[in-house]
Amino acid sequence: MKKLVSLMLVMALVLSMATVVNAVVETANLNVSVAKTAKVGDEVTVTVDWTEKMESVDLELGFDKTKVEFVSSSISEDYIATDRIEDGVVQISWFSANGQGITNITYKFKVKANGTAEFTTAEATLADANVQSPSDYKYGTATLTIKEETVEEPSTD
């Protein structure tokens, strides 16, 4: 946990300097996508993507914890605030250690109850290789419809 807090403090310092000195007049569209339907017990993939490669990402993805359970992410667990998951939020604070930026993060969830589950991005800060951050963010939402599994009656032939 200390490692995560230290990482977040360094990233916040770098990103705050970027927004003051090198503010970019552009909007980052944080698109959220998920399959339209699933059944209880299925594992679904939720993808959050944006257009340009980013070297640093601080992003929250909200989810309905009564309908789905967080399983994993394409980002190492070292960058995930696990204490937030209990509140229905996966918070990732990541930066590139090798100069290879990313344009998306994928999340795996296990479906645990019928109904609908909404996934929503919020509270994001992205920075590119020049430590420039978008000046505005458009947050995305995707909805998963969870259907009951139908059980076929055995034939009486």
Side-chain angles (χ1 to χ4, degrees):
M1 189 64 185
K2 286 182 183 180
K3 183 178 178 181
L4 180 61
V5 171
S6 297
L7 171 66
M8 289 173 49
L9 288 173
V10 168
M11 194 165 113
L13 177 63
V14 169
L15 291 176
S16 66
M17 291 181 344
T19 55
V20 171
V21 177
N22 296 318
V24 176
V25 182
E26 75 175 73
T27 300
N29 291 313
L30 300 171
N31 304 307
V32 182
S33 59
V34 66
K36 293 197 184 293
T37 62
K39 359 179 245 283
V40 174
D42 285 353
E43 193 170 272
V44 296
T45 300
V46 177
T47 303
V48 177
D49 63 40
W50 50 89
T51 308
E52 296 186 31
K53 273 191 178 182
M54 295 293 166
E55 299 292 326
S56 175
V57 177
D58 187 15
L59 175 67
E60 292 181 2
L61 177 69
F63 63 95
D64 184 343
K65 66 182 184 179
T66 65
K67 305 293 185 208
V68 296
E69 176 182 333
F70 175 73
V71 175
S72 65
S73 166
S74 60
I75 302 295
S76 166
E77 287 183 24
D78 293 338
Y79 299 100
I80 299 174
T82 53
D83 57 327
R84 303 282 317 275
I85 293 170
E86 292 175 9
D87 298 328
V89 176
V90 179
Q91 179 180 358
I92 293 179
S93 297
W94 172 88
F95 70 94
S96 174
N98 60 9
Q100 300 296 312
I102 59 174
T103 58
N104 67 58
I105 298 174
T106 58
Y107 304 80
K108 298 263 188 225
F109 288 88
K110 184 165 184 160
V111 178
K112 62 183 194 177
N114 291 325
T116 58
E118 192 169 274
F119 301 91
T120 305
T121 55
E123 300 299 321
T125 304
L126 309 176
D128 64 15
N130 297 318
V131 196
Q132 294 182 331
S133 296
S135 59
D136 191 27
Y137 294 87
K138 286 192 178 177
Y139 299 109
T141 300
T143 302
L144 172 69
T145 301
I146 305 161
K147 297 183 175 185
E148 288 188 46
E149 185 174 0
T150 57
V151 178
E152 291 185 28
E153 295 291 323
S155 69
T156 55
D157 294 337

